[in-house]
Amino acid sequence: MSTATLTEAPVPTLSLADRLNAVLQNQGERTLGLLDRCDSCSQHAQAEFTFLLPQNDGTVTESEIMLCGFHTRAHVAAIMERNPVGVWIEPSILWKIKGVEVPKQEHAKSGDGLTDA
């Protein structure tokens, strides 16, 4: 064993919750519409991940994966390990993941609820 191996400091890795919190803080406005569908099922897409894929001819192509809330929660750890170049996630679907700071949803309406007053 060399001394270089012993003296190198371990590279700090962010937890999944920390990475997701960073994504939620830096993502822009919603980019998905009602016609966008999950690539695994027919539900509305609530997350989009963009990857750069190298081709055989030496070029690089962008590829996107759209997932519903269920499939996002099921696969978000594996997807984030692959370092996507673009991520947009509906914040409300991440409430089950421990440590993720999901903004509180406001459901209160003004007025009597029957009219626009």
Side-chain angles (χ1 to χ4, degrees), residues 2 5 10 19-21 24-25 28 32 34 38-41 48-50 58 67 69 74 90-92 103 106 114 116:
S2 70
T5 307
R19 292 186 73 187
L20 290 174
N21 285 328
L24 292 178
Q25 288 175 355
L32 301 175
L34 293 176
C38 178
D39 290 334
S40 295
C41 66
E48 181 178 31
F49 303 93
T50 306
L67 298 174
E90 178 67 41
S92 63
E106 294 294 330
L114 300 174
D116 291 334

Side-chain angles (χ1 to χ4, degrees), residues 30-51 63-73 75 79 86-89 93:
R30 182 180 176 92
T31 58
L32 301 175
L34 293 176
L35 297 178
D36 293 318
R37 299 293 177 169
C38 178
D39 290 334
S40 295
C41 66
S42 63
Q43 295 296 315
H44 292 124
Q46 295 185 331
E48 181 178 31
F49 303 93
T50 306
F51 293 94
S63 181
E64 297 164 347
I65 298 172
M66 289 191 235
L67 298 174
C68 65
F70 173 80
H71 286 109
T72 299
R73 285 187 300 275
H75 303 292
I79 290 173
V87 177
W88 189 90
I89 301 175
I93 66 171

Side-chain angles (χ1 to χ4, degrees), residues 2 7 10 15 18 25 31 45 49-50 56-57 61 71 78-79 82 88 93 97 102 104 108 110 114:
S2 70
T7 58
S15 69
D18 291 337
Q25 288 175 355
T31 58
F49 303 93
T50 306
N56 291 336
D57 61 359
T61 308
H71 286 109
I79 290 173
R82 291 181 173 52
W88 189 90
I93 66 171
I97 300 176
V102 178
K104 184 178 179 182
S110 62
L114 300 174

